[in-house]
Each structure stands twice: as structure tokens, then as C-alpha cells.
Amino acid sequence: MRAARLIKMVLLLQSRPAMTAAELARELEVSERTVTRDAQALSEAGVPVYADRGRAGGYRLVGGYRTRLTGLHRSEAEALFLSGVPGALREMGLADAASAARLKVSAALLPSLRDAPRTAAQRFHLDAPSWFREPETPALLPAVADAVWDDRRITARYRRGGARPPGGADAEGAGARGPEGVRTVAVPAPAGAPGGRGDDAAEEVVRELEPYGLVLKAGVWYLCARVADHGSFRVYRIDRFTAVTAGEERFTRDEEFDLPAFWAERAEQFARSLLRAQVVVRLSGEGVRRLPYAVDPQSARQALAAAGDPDGDGWVTVTLPVESEEVAHAQLTGLGPEVEVLAPEGLRARFAADALRLARLYGA
């Protein structure tokens, strides 16, 4: 533990002209007295650490001293490619590895490039969660992430219920205790499934999985995994895992598997699978402009592209795929008088009733 701290102290001093005891204490998460003792230990070991006295004093390395302790470990190198997403790294338990990797890279840079990390951070920031939603880190995410990095099979207990994630998800596994050589992590089941259905609608299943990759989509974590029983790839929401057991057995990764391509295909399939119904509407010019903001943008664009020419009033008739009449009612209401529902009849009747209520409300 102390050896790692001493190495980090040398790298910090190597990456900056000088640092005060307070700055070093903050970076190393120790007291200033510990910093003083560590500096003395480094000096006795032959590292030329010089202490400047006085209010403006601090610690620095003498004579352009450079350490060779800049080699990246595998975990640090992998984390470095994700260093633009600090929140995701923290949730997967990789924040320390990423910090060490950035520090080693900074220490290896030429003096003229030392401000590169700071300037980059001031020019790019990724905020993954969607608006108006408090992000929640799934309790089992670090355990799943460890298995993904190590190519270890997991047994997972999974809570099904509510809307299915891209590609379908129906796995879960492991009891409260695992056999020798395995590690089991469990979390209490919440009051209801994340899809909005209660406990009576949720079903827990057990699956043996080969975890291939993690995806963070709009603040929600997903696992792309191959089911050991039949070899098919599926997608699972991490927040629906209630227990994960990782053993020593490693699986052989399919080198043809392409995580971004797989996710793009399954996400598109998922979006299409939700659109099980159709509605026919007339849209004004303003309604045409606003339609992609009210419903699924891709479906709106495809429906508008397939529509005919405007009628004599300049309105366009569109056949639009929707999730259900209930969802269509909520979405199309936002278009107000810029849309007229032609079919199905039940949905048209709901809009007619809404119009009468609005007329009475405003005294029209």
C-alpha cells in the first residue's frame, strides 16, 4: 500500500514543477505529516526530492529526475480508452485504474504537453444520463464488469417483467452461496420490476451466461451475453439482476463478435418490436414539422417519406406505426390542432372527446 503511494507521489512530482504538502496530501488522501515522512523515505531511497521551505514552499524533483515507472498495466490501458466517461468508470469500479493510467501518461509527456489533460477536460465532457432522471448505479454492476473484463462465466438470477430490453432478456442465476472458487453477490429485490409491473408480474429465472460486453444507454446499463445452454446472444438490464456468481471458469470469446454492431442491430429490433399498432392521421405543415419530436423519430421520418402529396388544404395523410393506442393518444395529444386522427375509430373517438372537454373548459 505504501509502495504504491510512494510511486504515485514520484509520478505527481514528475508531472508538475512543484507541489505543496497540502496538494500532495489531497491527491494521495493522506495527512501532510505522512507526506513529509514519504518524501524523506524517497530521499533516503535515492529519489532526489527537494523540499522548499516557507509559505510558498513545497516539494519538487531535482535536476529533471525521471522515473521509468510509467509502464501501463493491462487494466490501466483498457481504462484509458474509457477515460472520457468518468462516471461510467466509477460505476464499473475502474476509477482508480483510470486515474493511475492518466497519471502515468502525464508523467511521460514532454513538459510542453503537460497541460494536455487539463485542456482536453475543458473541451469535452460526456453526460450520459437522460434529462429529468436521477442516475442510479446498479449494485451488481462492478461484479458483472469484473466478469466481462476477465472473460469469466457467471451464473445470474434475473428478474423478468415489464418492457423487454433490446434483444430480449430473461436470465438470472445463482443461490446465496456459491461453491469453492466462486464469488456471489446479491441484492434485495425491489418492490416492483423496473418495467413498471409489480412483484406478482415479475418472474425470476436462472441463466449461465458468458458476459461479452457492457452498454450504457441513456443512463441505463445493459449486459450483452451469450447464453451457455444454447449459444445465442441476448441483452440483459443490469438493474434486474438480483444475484451474480462468478467462478474461475473462463470462456473462449468469439472473435467475430462485434459489440457496437450487435448492439445497433438489437436496439433497432427492439425499437421496431414496440411498434405493434398503426394509426392513420392527417397532419398540417406544422404537424409534419413537429411529428418527429412527438413520436419515435425514425418511425416518423419513414412514415412521412411514404406519405402521399398534400391535399387541397395542405395537409398530409400518414400511416404511423405506434406502440399502442394508449401511447399514441399521449404522444399525438402534444400536436394539438395540427393533427387529425382518422383511424382507428376508438382513438379518433378519444380525441373527439378531448376536443369537447377542451371546448367546455375554455367556454368555446
Side-chain angles (χ1 to χ4, degrees):
M1 183 71 177
R2 190 190 184 196
R5 188 175 72 242
L6 292 174
I7 292 172
K8 186 173 183 180
M9 183 174 179
V10 173
L11 293 173
L12 285 168
L13 293 174
Q14 183 174 308
S15 63
R16 306 179 194 181
M19 295 184 70
T20 65
E23 290 172 336
L24 284 168
R26 184 167 57 252
E27 291 282 352
L28 300 173
E29 299 180 347
V30 296
S31 67
E32 293 186 30
R33 293 184 62 184
T34 299
V35 168
T36 301
R37 289 195 295 267
D38 286 352
Q40 180 65 31
L42 288 171
S43 181
E44 292 173 356
V47 178
V49 178
Y50 182 77
D52 292 314
R53 306 296 180 184
R55 294 182 59 186
Y59 294 91
R60 59 186 174 87
L61 293 176
V62 179
Y65 177 84
R66 308 290 293 175
T67 176
R68 293 184 176 274
L69 297 173
T70 53
L72 291 178
H73 295 223
R74 168 172 286 274
S75 63
E76 295 166 351
E78 291 168 338
L80 188 61
F81 289 99
L82 299 173
S83 59
V85 284
L89 285 168
R90 184 173 56 254
E91 292 175 4
M92 289 190 292
L94 295 173
D96 289 342
S99 176
R102 287 193 294 269
L103 182 58
K104 289 181 177 181
V105 170
S106 296
L109 291 175
L110 294 172
S112 60
L113 300 177
R114 290 281 165 76
D115 65 340
R118 183 184 61 80
T119 56
Q122 294 302 320
R123 286 164 175 77
F124 175 77
H125 176 67
L126 177 64
D127 186 6
S130 57
W131 287 102
F132 314 115
R133 173 176 180 164
E134 188 68 26
E136 295 183 3
T137 303
L140 297 179
L141 177 60
V144 176
D146 285 346
V148 170
W149 287 119
D150 294 339
D151 291 339
R152 294 184 185 277
R153 280 194 177 191
I154 62 173
T155 304
R157 187 186 308 128
Y158 188 81
R159 187 179 58 253
R160 293 195 295 192
R164 289 164 137 345
D170 56 356
E172 238 315 53
R177 296 182 60 188
E180 183 178 357
V182 303
R183 178 163 57 94
T184 300
V185 184
V187 295
R197 298 167 64 179
D199 287 338
D200 56 342
E203 174 191 2
E204 285 200 351
V205 293
V206 175
R207 293 290 184 271
E208 297 287 336
L209 300 175
E210 297 175 355
Y212 267 66
L214 293 168
V215 175
L216 177 60
K217 171 71 171 179
V220 179
W221 284 95
Y222 296 91
L223 171 67
C224 301
R226 182 165 59 186
V227 182
D229 292 344
H230 45 75
S232 64
F233 285 93
R234 297 191 178 184
V235 179
Y236 302 86
R237 275 186 64 148
I238 302 294
D239 59 7
R240 288 184 181 165
F241 284 114
T242 58
V244 171
T245 300
E248 296 301 319
E249 181 183 3
R250 284 183 165 86
F251 63 89
T252 301
R253 181 175 287 265
D254 182 356
E255 297 301 328
E256 299 297 319
F257 179 79
D258 185 329
L259 179 60
F262 171 79
W263 175 261
E265 178 185 355
R266 291 305 176 91
E268 183 179 354
Q269 292 175 1
F270 174 65
R272 287 200 305 265
S273 71
L274 292 177
L275 307 179
R276 305 184 188 93
Q278 286 188 335
V279 299
V280 182
V281 298
R282 288 178 71 236
L283 296 165
S284 68
E286 177 64 12
V288 169
R289 186 188 70 81
R290 290 164 49 186
L291 183 65
Y293 301 97
V295 300
D296 175 66
Q298 183 175 355
S299 299
R301 287 192 290 268
Q302 292 176 349
L304 291 171
D309 295 330
D311 59 22
D313 296 325
W315 287 51
V316 177
T317 300
V318 175
T319 300
L320 185 68
V322 294
E323 187 172 343
S324 65
E325 286 190 25
E326 186 72 28
V327 173
H329 178 258
Q331 293 175 330
L332 296 175
T333 296
L335 297 180
E338 310 304 329
V339 61
E340 176 191 2
V341 176
L342 302 179
E345 190 59 39
L347 183 59
R348 180 178 175 86
R350 292 184 68 170
F351 273 89
D354 289 347
L356 289 175
R357 290 177 61 194
L358 285 171
R360 287 195 296 268
L361 184 63
Y362 288 99

